[in-house]
Amino acid sequence: MASKKLVLRKEMGKRVRNLRKSGGITIDVLADKLGITQSHLGLIERGERGITVERLVVFCDYFKCSADYMLTGKDSGASTKKQSNSKIANAIDLLLSDDEKQKLYDFVNAIK
């Protein structure tokens, strides 16, 4: 049982790292966005620390992916589209001020 847990943690950690890197996000920026230390995030990415259910929800929300994907590496939905949208959302989040984000949100809603 313990070895299955370790394998799951390592695989989930790899997925977290891959999502972070594919989004062009540094470990310090992601740790700050998630409200954890860089050290803690590093432990998660290396599979040395597990992810609580609450933190799993936060990761999935941030990366716009399913818990299914985070847990198994498979997604019953359109994971590629979500990851692409996640990259855009992350870039917007990192590059725009809160005021600029609100203006963009208002613009998108106006053209819908």
Side-chain angles (χ1 to χ4, degrees):
M1 179 69 163
S3 66
K4 285 185 179 183
K5 237 179 169 176
L6 180 61
V7 169
L8 177 62
R9 280 198 325 243
K10 286 193 178 289
E11 292 302 314
M12 286 178 65
K14 285 180 191 176
R15 284 187 277 282
V16 169
R17 178 179 287 135
N18 289 339
L19 286 167
R20 177 179 62 78
K21 287 186 173 187
S22 71
I25 304 164
T26 61
I27 196 165
D28 56 320
V29 169
L30 180 58
D32 185 57
K33 294 285 182 190
L34 298 173
I36 59 177
T37 65
Q38 294 174 34
S39 173
H40 187 162
L41 182 55
L43 290 170
I44 290 171
E45 287 188 353
R46 290 189 302 276
E48 296 173 19
R49 177 156 303 166
I51 301 174
T52 64
V53 173
E54 294 82 5
R55 185 144 295 123
L56 176 64
V57 171
V58 172
F59 274 103
C60 292
D61 184 52
Y62 185 80
F63 288 117
K64 306 294 185 241
C65 67
S66 69
D68 187 30
Y69 172 75
M70 288 297 291
L71 291 168
T72 67
K74 300 173 186 169
D75 195 353
S76 56
S79 175
T80 306
K81 183 177 179 183
K82 288 180 183 178
Q83 287 179 6
S84 176
N85 289 342
S86 177
K87 289 179 188 178
I88 293 167
N90 289 337
I92 288 169
D93 191 44
L94 292 172
L95 298 173
L96 299 181
S97 70
D98 288 340
D99 186 50
E100 291 168 327
K101 286 184 236 178
Q102 185 60 49
K103 288 178 183 175
L104 178 59
Y105 177 78
D106 292 342
F107 172 75
V108 169
N109 280 331
I111 63 172
K112 278 187 177 179

